[in-house]
Amino acid sequence: MKAISLNISHANYVAVEERTYFLKRHAYSTQLLPTKCPHRGGPLHMGEVTGDGQSVICPWHDNAYRVCNLEKSALPTVRVRNRISTVVGDTERCVPLLKISRYDG
């Protein structure tokens, strides 16, 4: 496994091979959640996060997905100040991307 680190002030989206993940922060938690909606592959990174931070609403069909369920497909993360670290497979290509999502909190 290899570790990567992102400065969350500059990037909130990461591509690992063909899969993409967006940074979701709320209160004391930070996750790299999958961008594809489980229903029809919609862009979850463009969706709304509920006020309590417990769900993400897909902009395509207004389906709400609990963050605890999305975390099952998320990348494991550790946050220290403005840096977030995660691990990916040794052979996986990982590219941090600039802030592009609607939700950058």
Side-chain angles (χ1 to χ4, degrees), residues 36-87:
K36 287 190 176 181
C37 168
H39 173 236
R40 302 279 283 185
L44 284 181
H45 63 288
M46 300 298 285
E48 294 284 335
V49 175
T50 58
D52 62 3
Q54 298 297 309
S55 299
V56 177
I57 301 170
C58 179
W60 282 6
H61 300 106
D62 290 328
N63 292 343
Y65 297 96
R66 306 252 328 139
V67 170
C68 61
N69 290 330
L70 295 172
E71 285 176 337
K72 295 173 186 173
S73 300
L75 293 176
T77 59
V78 174
R79 180 178 174 195
V80 177
R81 292 183 211 79
N82 270 356
R83 298 207 67 79
I84 189 168
S85 298
T86 188
V87 293

Side-chain angles (χ1 to χ4, degrees), residues 2 5 7 11-12 14 17 21-22 28 31 33 35 42-43 59 64 72 80 86 89-90 93 98 101:
K2 65 181 172 183
S5 182
N7 182 327
N12 68 341
V14 64
E17 295 295 331
Y21 301 86
F22 72 103
Y28 299 104
Q31 300 101 2
L33 299 176
T35 59
K72 295 173 186 173
V80 177
T86 188
D90 287 331
R93 186 177 62 85
L98 298 177
S101 71

